[in-house]
Amino acid sequence: MTDGAAQTWDHETDLLVVGSGSAGLTAAVVAANEGLKVLVIEKTEYYGGTTAFSGGVAWIPNNPLMKAAGIPDTPQDAVTYLKHNIGNRVAPSKLETFVEYAPVMTQYMTDNSAVQFQMMEDFPDYRPETPGGCKGGRSIDPKVFSGRKLKDYDKLRLRPGSLPGGVVGSVKELRRLAFFKSDPKGLLDVWYVIPRNIWNRIASRQHVSSGRALVARLRYTLQEKNVPLWLETGLGELITENGDVVGARVTRQGKCLTIRARKGVLIAAGGFDHNKAMRQQYFDKATDAWASGAYSSGAPGSTGDGIRAGQQVGAALDLMDDMWWMPSSNEPGAKAPTIHVFERGLPHVMIVNKRGKRFANEARPYNELGRVIYEDDAPPAFLVFDNDYRSRYTVGTMLPGMTPERFIREGYVKKAGTLDELARQTGIDAEGLKQEVARFNAMAEAGRDEDFHKGESAFDLYAGDKSHKPSPCLGPIAKAPFYAIEIQAGDLGTKGGLLTNERAQVLRENGTVIGGLYAAGNSSACVVGNFYPGGGGTIGAGMTYGYLAAMHAAGKVGDPAKALAAAAAE
């Protein structure tokens, strides 16, 4: 921390945005549109953060697309849903502010930027049956975008191991494609994805989808507004004057610079996904590999820099012992973890621990299942399935019926003619596994999971195979050969960070505001606490609070404490 009273400045701006994920870039777009001079810095050589690795979906209750489609939703229902599932872990005013401004932000971005979303009308909340829950429409998907419009397309972050010319499709489209073998008719709804990808390669259209499309749309807007984005520029420390943040010391391509930020600094630099010391500090069951981020899908630049800089100027922290959990595995030779999102909800598959026992509903939301895997007392966990499953469904990166021999040879996929042999290969207790499979098969034949209720929630059914009877989510594990893949408690990023108020202003331990300092996205303590409301819960909250930070810095939304005082006076 440096005192800015006698500081000389190398560069001046109104709003300094630290980080280039969806939260930071949204704030930059809004601030620039509201007339502020903006500078975005990103410490790595690529922009996009963890958003670029993601599906790009945003959870926006009562959003404009729902209204246009006639899907009913109200702010009251959304607040009820959040409060019911979060309890007192987050200040009610923050939840209410999120619900109020999320659709406002979405409409604002549609009207004032290149950001465009499409409806995911059948994608339910993660706990749709709880009070205020919704069976579809709150999660919205970014539309495909042409990367050729970007002057720095080559700097748009790409998931490690992926190819720039890989399959381009939105989450909604790719979901339909995944069922091409069990539901061929579903291909008719997304037939255009195939010629699009062929044209993409022939004409070098450089179309991008999912999280990369969202980032590209935000970056294109900044490009059109001539907002500078400095790559390879890391935050060193914040500079204060009389307790308020007035700028920052950064390192740009090896050179130390001071930047004055007249309206404030927004920390949107991600969490501490790849900071081993911090993971070990806040998670008591962290193994060496897990703490090193071996199963984290967070961007490599997410090492907690922004969080630590905030701490140095007196910021309070919260939710540091939680993350956006994701069941994950490590394929041989892969440069990033393989995440297991929907395949767990299909028939003919279950997850067991080393005792051979199931310990959760396999189809439950990944955030919840990941946490259960982390806390289970008989690790590791294994995805166990049979030949019916392998021949019909995609698992990880493996298409139906296509299991690379090297995956088996290198032990990533265990394959056996009997359950006894599968248990021997994995180290699972053989008797426990056989007993559990027998019970699971009986329940699957009856179409009802009496132990963990797999297939009863609308979210479970979304992940299932609608063509499978009697249950889209249950089928016996009976047809050899049998398979197993070890599953770890991976993550999409950490949830803990700088504690903020309803305007994304960072707070001290005593609840007072640190003037000039904002935080959004995974650098801030999660707006929805330990809960994950639905697909895009991370991005939706990050973009909304990025919007609020920018509007507050521009003087377009008032200070919440003053607003409360004024309301009380009336």
Side-chain angles (χ1 to χ4, degrees), residues 408-452:
I408 297 173
R409 186 172 62 251
E410 297 185 37
Y412 171 70
V413 175
K414 309 293 186 184
K415 180 180 178 181
T418 66
L419 291 175
D420 277 307
E421 175 59 18
L422 190 69
R424 187 193 68 78
Q425 290 186 32
T426 57
I428 299 172
D429 179 79
E431 290 305 312
L433 178 62
K434 289 188 292 185
Q435 291 172 11
E436 196 72 352
V437 168
R439 175 164 177 77
F440 182 83
N441 289 354
M443 294 189 294
E445 295 288 356
R448 184 175 181 182
D449 178 7
E450 297 177 357
D451 293 341
F452 297 103

mmCIF file of all heavy atoms in Angstrom, residues 408-452:
data_model
loop_
_atom_site.group_PDB
_atom_site.id
_atom_site.type_symbol
_atom_site.label_atom_id
_atom_site.label_comp_id
_atom_site.label_asym_id
_atom_site.label_seq_id
_atom_site.Cartn_x
_atom_site.Cartn_y
_atom_site.Cartn_z
ATOM 1 N N ILE A 408 -7.429 -46.270 -21.883
ATOM 2 C CA ILE A 408 -7.455 -47.528 -21.138
ATOM 3 C C ILE A 408 -6.032 -47.935 -20.772
ATOM 4 O O ILE A 408 -5.749 -48.322 -19.632
ATOM 5 C CB ILE A 408 -8.142 -48.630 -21.970
ATOM 6 C CG1 ILE A 408 -9.606 -48.240 -22.240
ATOM 7 C CG2 ILE A 408 -8.058 -49.976 -21.250
ATOM 8 C CD1 ILE A 408 -10.319 -49.171 -23.202
ATOM 9 N N ARG A 409 -5.142 -47.809 -21.727
ATOM 10 C CA ARG A 409 -3.750 -48.206 -21.512
ATOM 11 C C ARG A 409 -3.097 -47.402 -20.387
ATOM 12 O O ARG A 409 -2.314 -47.939 -19.587
ATOM 13 C CB ARG A 409 -2.972 -48.027 -22.819
ATOM 14 C CG ARG A 409 -1.546 -48.533 -22.778
ATOM 15 C CD ARG A 409 -0.895 -48.505 -24.144
ATOM 16 N NE ARG A 409 -0.805 -47.162 -24.705
ATOM 17 C CZ ARG A 409 -1.538 -46.724 -25.727
ATOM 18 N NH1 ARG A 409 -2.434 -47.527 -26.303
ATOM 19 N NH2 ARG A 409 -1.397 -45.495 -26.175
ATOM 20 N N GLU A 410 -3.417 -46.106 -20.314
ATOM 21 C CA GLU A 410 -2.808 -45.251 -19.301
ATOM 22 C C GLU A 410 -3.616 -45.190 -18.013
ATOM 23 O O GLU A 410 -3.264 -44.442 -17.092
ATOM 24 C CB GLU A 410 -2.600 -43.843 -19.885
ATOM 25 C CG GLU A 410 -1.627 -43.833 -21.056
ATOM 26 C CD GLU A 410 -1.314 -42.430 -21.561
ATOM 27 O OE1 GLU A 410 -1.215 -41.509 -20.721
ATOM 28 O OE2 GLU A 410 -1.173 -42.255 -22.784
ATOM 29 N N GLY A 411 -4.693 -45.971 -17.932
ATOM 30 C CA GLY A 411 -5.416 -46.113 -16.678
ATOM 31 C C GLY A 411 -6.458 -45.062 -16.382
ATOM 32 O O GLY A 411 -7.068 -45.086 -15.307
ATOM 33 N N TYR A 412 -6.688 -44.153 -17.314
ATOM 34 C CA TYR A 412 -7.720 -43.133 -17.083
ATOM 35 C C TYR A 412 -9.102 -43.772 -17.075
ATOM 36 O O TYR A 412 -9.935 -43.502 -16.202
ATOM 37 C CB TYR A 412 -7.644 -42.052 -18.167
ATOM 38 C CG TYR A 412 -8.788 -41.075 -18.151
ATOM 39 C CD1 TYR A 412 -8.925 -40.143 -17.126
ATOM 40 C CD2 TYR A 412 -9.742 -41.064 -19.168
ATOM 41 C CE1 TYR A 412 -9.983 -39.247 -17.109
ATOM 42 C CE2 TYR A 412 -10.792 -40.170 -19.162
ATOM 43 C CZ TYR A 412 -10.917 -39.270 -18.135
ATOM 44 O OH TYR A 412 -11.977 -38.377 -18.119
ATOM 45 N N VAL A 413 -9.339 -44.655 -18.038
ATOM 46 C CA VAL A 413 -10.573 -45.432 -18.089
ATOM 47 C C VAL A 413 -10.249 -46.861 -17.694
ATOM 48 O O VAL A 413 -9.368 -47.494 -18.287
ATOM 49 C CB VAL A 413 -11.196 -45.417 -19.503
ATOM 50 C CG1 VAL A 413 -12.419 -46.331 -19.552
ATOM 51 C CG2 VAL A 413 -11.577 -43.996 -19.913
ATOM 52 N N LYS A 414 -10.932 -47.344 -16.681
ATOM 53 C CA LYS A 414 -10.795 -48.748 -16.299
ATOM 54 C C LYS A 414 -11.891 -49.534 -17.022
ATOM 55 O O LYS A 414 -13.056 -49.129 -17.022
ATOM 56 C CB LYS A 414 -10.963 -48.925 -14.788
ATOM 57 C CG LYS A 414 -10.097 -48.004 -13.936
ATOM 58 C CD LYS A 414 -8.624 -48.283 -14.047
ATOM 59 C CE LYS A 414 -7.834 -47.429 -13.045
ATOM 60 N NZ LYS A 414 -6.377 -47.607 -13.197
ATOM 61 N N LYS A 415 -11.530 -50.639 -17.632
ATOM 62 C CA LYS A 415 -12.474 -51.456 -18.392
ATOM 63 C C LYS A 415 -12.314 -52.909 -17.975
ATOM 64 O O LYS A 415 -11.198 -53.423 -17.917
ATOM 65 C CB LYS A 415 -12.202 -51.305 -19.892
ATOM 66 C CG LYS A 415 -13.126 -52.105 -20.800
ATOM 67 C CD LYS A 415 -12.750 -51.872 -22.272
ATOM 68 C CE LYS A 415 -13.628 -52.686 -23.206
ATOM 69 N NZ LYS A 415 -13.245 -52.488 -24.636
ATOM 70 N N ALA A 416 -13.443 -53.562 -17.666
ATOM 71 C CA ALA A 416 -13.366 -54.939 -17.172
ATOM 72 C C ALA A 416 -14.597 -55.735 -17.594
ATOM 73 O O ALA A 416 -15.678 -55.178 -17.801
ATOM 74 C CB ALA A 416 -13.247 -54.945 -15.647
ATOM 75 N N GLY A 417 -14.413 -57.046 -17.670
ATOM 76 C CA GLY A 417 -15.508 -57.927 -18.059
ATOM 77 C C GLY A 417 -16.466 -58.226 -16.924
ATOM 78 O O GLY A 417 -17.608 -58.649 -17.163
ATOM 79 N N THR A 418 -16.007 -58.035 -15.692
ATOM 80 C CA THR A 418 -16.851 -58.293 -14.522
ATOM 81 C C THR A 418 -16.686 -57.165 -13.505
ATOM 82 O O THR A 418 -15.698 -56.418 -13.535
ATOM 83 C CB THR A 418 -16.465 -59.620 -13.842
ATOM 84 O OG1 THR A 418 -15.136 -59.483 -13.301
ATOM 85 C CG2 THR A 418 -16.503 -60.785 -14.826
ATOM 86 N N LEU A 419 -17.636 -57.078 -12.597
ATOM 87 C CA LEU A 419 -17.539 -56.083 -11.530
ATOM 88 C C LEU A 419 -16.388 -56.399 -10.582
ATOM 89 O O LEU A 419 -15.740 -55.489 -10.048
ATOM 90 C CB LEU A 419 -18.856 -56.002 -10.761
ATOM 91 C CG LEU A 419 -20.044 -55.405 -11.526
ATOM 92 C CD1 LEU A 419 -21.320 -55.488 -10.690
ATOM 93 C CD2 LEU A 419 -19.766 -53.941 -11.900
ATOM 94 N N ASP A 420 -16.123 -57.679 -10.373
ATOM 95 C CA ASP A 420 -15.000 -58.061 -9.516
ATOM 96 C C ASP A 420 -13.684 -57.543 -10.097
ATOM 97 O O ASP A 420 -12.833 -56.995 -9.381
ATOM 98 C CB ASP A 420 -14.932 -59.596 -9.380
ATOM 99 C CG ASP A 420 -15.879 -60.117 -8.312
ATOM 100 O OD1 ASP A 420 -15.809 -59.624 -7.173
ATOM 101 O OD2 ASP A 420 -16.698 -60.992 -8.632
ATOM 102 N N GLU A 421 -13.522 -57.699 -11.409
ATOM 103 C CA GLU A 421 -12.302 -57.236 -12.056
ATOM 104 C C GLU A 421 -12.226 -55.710 -12.048
ATOM 105 O O GLU A 421 -11.147 -55.129 -11.862
ATOM 106 C CB GLU A 421 -12.233 -57.769 -13.495
ATOM 107 C CG GLU A 421 -11.056 -57.257 -14.320
ATOM 108 C CD GLU A 421 -9.695 -57.582 -13.728
ATOM 109 O OE1 GLU A 421 -9.593 -58.495 -12.863
ATOM 110 O OE2 GLU A 421 -8.715 -56.911 -14.122
ATOM 111 N N LEU A 422 -13.362 -55.049 -12.221
ATOM 112 C CA LEU A 422 -13.383 -53.589 -12.180
ATOM 113 C C LEU A 422 -12.969 -53.105 -10.790
ATOM 114 O O LEU A 422 -12.213 -52.137 -10.655
ATOM 115 C CB LEU A 422 -14.774 -53.063 -12.533
ATOM 116 C CG LEU A 422 -14.870 -51.553 -12.761
ATOM 117 C CD1 LEU A 422 -14.142 -51.166 -14.051
ATOM 118 C CD2 LEU A 422 -16.332 -51.098 -12.825
ATOM 119 N N ALA A 423 -13.470 -53.795 -9.759
ATOM 120 C CA ALA A 423 -13.105 -53.434 -8.391
ATOM 121 C C ALA A 423 -11.614 -53.632 -8.162
ATOM 122 O O ALA A 423 -10.957 -52.809 -7.514
ATOM 123 C CB ALA A 423 -13.908 -54.275 -7.399
ATOM 124 N N ARG A 424 -11.071 -54.705 -8.697
ATOM 125 C CA ARG A 424 -9.634 -54.957 -8.525
ATOM 126 C C ARG A 424 -8.810 -53.846 -9.169
ATOM 127 O O ARG A 424 -7.831 -53.378 -8.594
ATOM 128 C CB ARG A 424 -9.271 -56.319 -9.140
ATOM 129 C CG ARG A 424 -7.828 -56.744 -8.852
ATOM 130 C CD ARG A 424 -7.402 -57.915 -9.713
ATOM 131 N NE ARG A 424 -7.306 -57.551 -11.116
ATOM 132 C CZ ARG A 424 -6.295 -56.871 -11.648
ATOM 133 N NH1 ARG A 424 -5.289 -56.468 -10.888
ATOM 134 N NH2 ARG A 424 -6.290 -56.590 -12.941
ATOM 135 N N GLN A 425 -9.201 -53.423 -10.378
ATOM 136 C CA GLN A 425 -8.447 -52.396 -11.090
ATOM 137 C C GLN A 425 -8.508 -51.028 -10.395
ATOM 138 O O GLN A 425 -7.545 -50.267 -10.433
ATOM 139 C CB GLN A 425 -8.982 -52.243 -12.518
ATOM 140 C CG GLN A 425 -8.674 -53.414 -13.434
ATOM 141 C CD GLN A 425 -9.099 -53.118 -14.864
ATOM 142 O OE1 GLN A 425 -9.057 -51.980 -15.324
ATOM 143 N NE2 GLN A 425 -9.510 -54.156 -15.576
ATOM 144 N N THR A 426 -9.637 -50.731 -9.776
ATOM 145 C CA THR A 426 -9.832 -49.398 -9.186
ATOM 146 C C THR A 426 -9.482 -49.324 -7.705
ATOM 147 O O THR A 426 -9.273 -48.230 -7.173
ATOM 148 C CB THR A 426 -11.301 -48.964 -9.338
ATOM 149 O OG1 THR A 426 -12.146 -49.955 -8.722
ATOM 150 C CG2 THR A 426 -11.682 -48.807 -10.801
ATOM 151 N N GLY A 427 -9.451 -50.486 -7.047
ATOM 152 C CA GLY A 427 -9.250 -50.484 -5.597
ATOM 153 C C GLY A 427 -10.539 -50.307 -4.826
ATOM 154 O O GLY A 427 -10.533 -50.155 -3.600
ATOM 155 N N ILE A 428 -11.675 -50.357 -5.520
ATOM 156 C CA ILE A 428 -12.982 -50.289 -4.855
ATOM 157 C C ILE A 428 -13.252 -51.622 -4.164
ATOM 158 O O ILE A 428 -12.895 -52.697 -4.663
ATOM 159 C CB ILE A 428 -14.099 -50.000 -5.886
ATOM 160 C CG1 ILE A 428 -13.858 -48.664 -6.582
ATOM 161 C CG2 ILE A 428 -15.467 -50.017 -5.232
ATOM 162 C CD1 ILE A 428 -14.819 -48.408 -7.741
ATOM 163 N N ASP A 429 -13.902 -51.573 -3.015
ATOM 164 C CA ASP A 429 -14.287 -52.797 -2.317
ATOM 165 C C ASP A 429 -15.251 -53.598 -3.192
ATOM 166 O O ASP A 429 -16.326 -53.110 -3.567
ATOM 167 C CB ASP A 429 -14.961 -52.462 -0.990
ATOM 168 C CG ASP A 429 -15.390 -53.706 -0.237
ATOM 169 O OD1 ASP A 429 -14.542 -54.346 0.385
ATOM 170 O OD2 ASP A 429 -16.601 -54.029 -0.290
ATOM 171 N N ALA A 430 -14.875 -54.825 -3.539
ATOM 172 C CA ALA A 430 -15.635 -55.616 -4.503
ATOM 173 C C ALA A 430 -17.034 -55.961 -4.012
ATOM 174 O O ALA A 430 -18.018 -55.835 -4.752
ATOM 175 C CB ALA A 430 -14.865 -56.893 -4.854
ATOM 176 N N GLU A 431 -17.142 -56.426 -2.782
ATOM 177 C CA GLU A 431 -18.457 -56.799 -2.254
ATOM 178 C C GLU A 431 -19.365 -55.582 -2.149
ATOM 179 O O GLU A 431 -20.553 -55.638 -2.472
ATOM 180 C CB GLU A 431 -18.318 -57.486 -0.890
ATOM 181 C CG GLU A 431 -17.705 -58.868 -0.964
ATOM 182 C CD GLU A 431 -18.471 -59.784 -1.917
ATOM 183 O OE1 GLU A 431 -19.719 -59.834 -1.807
ATOM 184 O OE2 GLU A 431 -17.827 -60.425 -2.757
ATOM 185 N N GLY A 432 -18.794 -54.467 -1.693
ATOM 186 C CA GLY A 432 -19.582 -53.242 -1.595
ATOM 187 C C GLY A 432 -20.094 -52.800 -2.956
ATOM 188 O O GLY A 432 -21.260 -52.400 -3.095
ATOM 189 N N LEU A 433 -19.249 -52.902 -3.967
ATOM 190 C CA LEU A 433 -19.638 -52.492 -5.317
ATOM 191 C C LEU A 433 -20.737 -53.397 -5.869
ATOM 192 O O LEU A 433 -21.744 -52.912 -6.416
ATOM 193 C CB LEU A 433 -18.427 -52.514 -6.242
ATOM 194 C CG LEU A 433 -18.694 -52.159 -7.709
ATOM 195 C CD1 LEU A 433 -19.213 -50.733 -7.828
ATOM 196 C CD2 LEU A 433 -17.433 -52.340 -8.549
ATOM 197 N N LYS A 434 -20.572 -54.692 -5.710
ATOM 198 C CA LYS A 434 -21.574 -55.630 -6.256
ATOM 199 C C LYS A 434 -22.931 -55.463 -5.567
ATOM 200 O O LYS A 434 -23.980 -55.505 -6.218
ATOM 201 C CB LYS A 434 -21.066 -57.069 -6.125
ATOM 202 C CG LYS A 434 -19.926 -57.389 -7.084
ATOM 203 C CD LYS A 434 -19.570 -58.864 -7.085
ATOM 204 C CE LYS A 434 -18.957 -59.309 -5.775
ATOM 205 N NZ LYS A 434 -18.506 -60.729 -5.837
ATOM 206 N N GLN A 435 -22.895 -55.261 -4.264
ATOM 207 C CA GLN A 435 -24.147 -55.045 -3.536
ATOM 208 C C GLN A 435 -24.826 -53.753 -3.981
ATOM 209 O O GLN A 435 -26.045 -53.700 -4.160
ATOM 210 C CB GLN A 435 -23.878 -55.002 -2.031
ATOM 211 C CG GLN A 435 -23.459 -56.337 -1.432
ATOM 212 C CD GLN A 435 -23.009 -56.201 0.015
ATOM 213 O OE1 GLN A 435 -23.185 -55.155 0.643
ATOM 214 N NE2 GLN A 435 -22.428 -57.272 0.552
ATOM 215 N N GLU A 436 -24.013 -52.713 -4.166
ATOM 216 C CA GLU A 436 -24.581 -51.422 -4.555
ATOM 217 C C GLU A 436 -25.152 -51.474 -5.971
ATOM 218 O O GLU A 436 -26.216 -50.908 -6.235
ATOM 219 C CB GLU A 436 -23.523 -50.316 -4.453
ATOM 220 C CG GLU A 436 -24.077 -48.910 -4.468
ATOM 221 C CD GLU A 436 -24.794 -48.536 -3.180
ATOM 222 O OE1 GLU A 436 -24.999 -49.407 -2.308
ATOM 223 O OE2 GLU A 436 -25.158 -47.366 -3.048
ATOM 224 N N VAL A 437 -24.451 -52.145 -6.873
ATOM 225 C CA VAL A 437 -24.951 -52.281 -8.242
ATOM 226 C C VAL A 437 -26.256 -53.068 -8.262
ATOM 227 O O VAL A 437 -27.205 -52.706 -8.978
ATOM 228 C CB VAL A 437 -23.896 -52.947 -9.144
ATOM 229 C CG1 VAL A 437 -24.509 -53.366 -10.493
ATOM 230 C CG2 VAL A 437 -22.725 -52.012 -9.388
ATOM 231 N N ALA A 438 -26.331 -54.115 -7.461
ATOM 232 C CA ALA A 438 -27.560 -54.914 -7.406
ATOM 233 C C ALA A 438 -28.743 -54.070 -6.921
ATOM 234 O O ALA A 438 -29.840 -54.131 -7.496
ATOM 235 C CB ALA A 438 -27.363 -56.127 -6.492
ATOM 236 N N ARG A 439 -28.517 -53.292 -5.876
ATOM 237 C CA ARG A 439 -29.600 -52.436 -5.365
ATOM 238 C C ARG A 439 -29.951 -51.361 -6.393
ATOM 239 O O ARG A 439 -31.126 -51.084 -6.645
ATOM 240 C CB ARG A 439 -29.195 -51.790 -4.042
ATOM 241 C CG ARG A 439 -30.235 -50.808 -3.526
ATOM 242 C CD ARG A 439 -30.051 -50.443 -2.070
ATOM 243 N NE ARG A 439 -31.022 -49.450 -1.662
ATOM 244 C CZ ARG A 439 -32.312 -49.694 -1.400
ATOM 245 N NH1 ARG A 439 -32.767 -50.937 -1.527
ATOM 246 N NH2 ARG A 439 -33.140 -48.739 -1.028
ATOM 247 N N PHE A 440 -28.930 -50.744 -6.981
ATOM 248 C CA PHE A 440 -29.162 -49.697 -7.968
ATOM 249 C C PHE A 440 -29.948 -50.242 -9.155
ATOM 250 O O PHE A 440 -30.882 -49.588 -9.653
ATOM 251 C CB PHE A 440 -27.807 -49.147 -8.436
ATOM 252 C CG PHE A 440 -27.908 -48.022 -9.429
ATOM 253 C CD1 PHE A 440 -28.119 -46.712 -9.014
ATOM 254 C CD2 PHE A 440 -27.781 -48.267 -10.800
ATOM 255 C CE1 PHE A 440 -28.204 -45.672 -9.929
ATOM 256 C CE2 PHE A 440 -27.866 -47.237 -11.721
ATOM 257 C CZ PHE A 440 -28.080 -45.932 -11.285
ATOM 258 N N ASN A 441 -29.597 -51.435 -9.610
ATOM 259 C CA ASN A 441 -30.287 -52.030 -10.755
ATOM 260 C C ASN A 441 -31.753 -52.303 -10.465
ATOM 261 O O ASN A 441 -32.620 -52.096 -11.320
ATOM 262 C CB ASN A 441 -29.587 -53.321 -11.185
ATOM 263 C CG ASN A 441 -28.245 -53.061 -11.845
ATOM 264 O OD1 ASN A 441 -27.877 -51.909 -12.077
ATOM 265 N ND2 ASN A 441 -27.505 -54.128 -12.132
ATOM 266 N N ALA A 442 -32.025 -52.760 -9.266
ATOM 267 C CA ALA A 442 -33.425 -53.015 -8.894
ATOM 268 C C ALA A 442 -34.226 -51.713 -8.902
ATOM 269 O O ALA A 442 -35.370 -51.671 -9.378
ATOM 270 C CB ALA A 442 -33.478 -53.679 -7.518
ATOM 271 N N MET A 443 -33.653 -50.654 -8.368
ATOM 272 C CA MET A 443 -34.338 -49.363 -8.359
ATOM 273 C C MET A 443 -34.482 -48.814 -9.773
ATOM 274 O O MET A 443 -35.505 -48.212 -10.125
ATOM 275 C CB MET A 443 -33.582 -48.367 -7.471
ATOM 276 C CG MET A 443 -33.582 -48.729 -5.995
ATOM 277 S SD MET A 443 -32.901 -47.424 -4.917
ATOM 278 C CE MET A 443 -31.190 -47.402 -5.446
ATOM 279 N N ALA A 444 -33.453 -49.038 -10.606
ATOM 280 C CA ALA A 444 -33.515 -48.555 -11.982
ATOM 281 C C ALA A 444 -34.625 -49.252 -12.757
ATOM 282 O O ALA A 444 -35.350 -48.612 -13.534
ATOM 283 C CB ALA A 444 -32.165 -48.781 -12.660
ATOM 284 N N GLU A 445 -34.772 -50.561 -12.562
ATOM 285 C CA GLU A 445 -35.836 -51.301 -13.239
ATOM 286 C C GLU A 445 -37.209 -50.788 -12.813
ATOM 287 O O GLU A 445 -38.150 -50.737 -13.617
ATOM 288 C CB GLU A 445 -35.725 -52.802 -12.931
ATOM 289 C CG GLU A 445 -34.468 -53.471 -13.475
ATOM 290 C CD GLU A 445 -34.493 -53.641 -14.984
ATOM 291 O OE1 GLU A 445 -35.527 -53.300 -15.613
ATOM 292 O OE2 GLU A 445 -33.472 -54.084 -15.542
ATOM 293 N N ALA A 446 -37.307 -50.374 -11.558
ATOM 294 C CA ALA A 446 -38.582 -49.845 -11.050
ATOM 295 C C ALA A 446 -38.782 -48.372 -11.431
ATOM 296 O O ALA A 446 -39.897 -47.846 -11.320
ATOM 297 C CB ALA A 446 -38.635 -49.995 -9.532
ATOM 298 N N GLY A 447 -37.705 -47.723 -11.834
ATOM 299 C CA GLY A 447 -37.804 -46.329 -12.252
ATOM 300 C C GLY A 447 -37.833 -45.332 -11.123
ATOM 301 O O GLY A 447 -38.242 -44.178 -11.315
ATOM 302 N N ARG A 448 -37.340 -45.748 -9.941
ATOM 303 C CA ARG A 448 -37.350 -44.824 -8.793
ATOM 304 C C ARG A 448 -36.138 -45.063 -7.901
ATOM 305 O O ARG A 448 -35.884 -46.186 -7.459
ATOM 306 C CB ARG A 448 -38.622 -45.003 -7.973
ATOM 307 C CG ARG A 448 -38.714 -44.006 -6.824
ATOM 308 C CD ARG A 448 -40.010 -44.108 -6.088
ATOM 309 N NE ARG A 448 -40.090 -43.131 -5.016
ATOM 310 C CZ ARG A 448 -41.106 -43.014 -4.166
ATOM 311 N NH1 ARG A 448 -42.156 -43.826 -4.282
ATOM 312 N NH2 ARG A 448 -41.099 -42.103 -3.215
ATOM 313 N N ASP A 449 -35.376 -43.996 -7.659
ATOM 314 C CA ASP A 449 -34.203 -44.049 -6.788
ATOM 315 C C ASP A 449 -34.648 -43.733 -5.359
ATOM 316 O O ASP A 449 -34.819 -42.577 -4.990
ATOM 317 C CB ASP A 449 -33.161 -43.040 -7.268
ATOM 318 C CG ASP A 449 -31.927 -42.991 -6.377
ATOM 319 O OD1 ASP A 449 -31.810 -43.818 -5.457
ATOM 320 O OD2 ASP A 449 -31.072 -42.105 -6.610
ATOM 321 N N GLU A 450 -34.817 -44.785 -4.567
ATOM 322 C CA GLU A 450 -35.296 -44.595 -3.192
ATOM 323 C C GLU A 450 -34.215 -44.062 -2.264
ATOM 324 O O GLU A 450 -34.515 -43.551 -1.183
ATOM 325 C CB GLU A 450 -35.838 -45.924 -2.651
ATOM 326 C CG GLU A 450 -37.044 -46.451 -3.426
ATOM 327 C CD GLU A 450 -37.512 -47.795 -2.907
ATOM 328 O OE1 GLU A 450 -36.848 -48.342 -1.982
ATOM 329 O OE2 GLU A 450 -38.515 -48.318 -3.420
ATOM 330 N N ASP A 451 -32.967 -44.174 -2.655
ATOM 331 C CA ASP A 451 -31.862 -43.761 -1.789
ATOM 332 C C ASP A 451 -31.527 -42.276 -1.921
ATOM 333 O O ASP A 451 -31.385 -41.568 -0.918
ATOM 334 C CB ASP A 451 -30.619 -44.600 -2.090
ATOM 335 C CG ASP A 451 -30.803 -46.060 -1.708
ATOM 336 O OD1 ASP A 451 -31.709 -46.362 -0.909
ATOM 337 O OD2 ASP A 451 -30.037 -46.893 -2.231
ATOM 338 N N PHE A 452 -31.399 -41.785 -3.171
ATOM 339 C CA PHE A 452 -30.958 -40.397 -3.371
ATOM 340 C C PHE A 452 -31.835 -39.608 -4.343
ATOM 341 O O PHE A 452 -31.530 -38.470 -4.657
ATOM 342 C CB PHE A 452 -29.498 -40.379 -3.843
ATOM 343 C CG PHE A 452 -28.543 -40.959 -2.835
ATOM 344 C CD1 PHE A 452 -28.033 -42.243 -2.994
ATOM 345 C CD2 PHE A 452 -28.166 -40.223 -1.717
ATOM 346 C CE1 PHE A 452 -27.161 -42.786 -2.052
ATOM 347 C CE2 PHE A 452 -27.295 -40.764 -0.773
ATOM 348 C CZ PHE A 452 -26.787 -42.040 -0.942
#
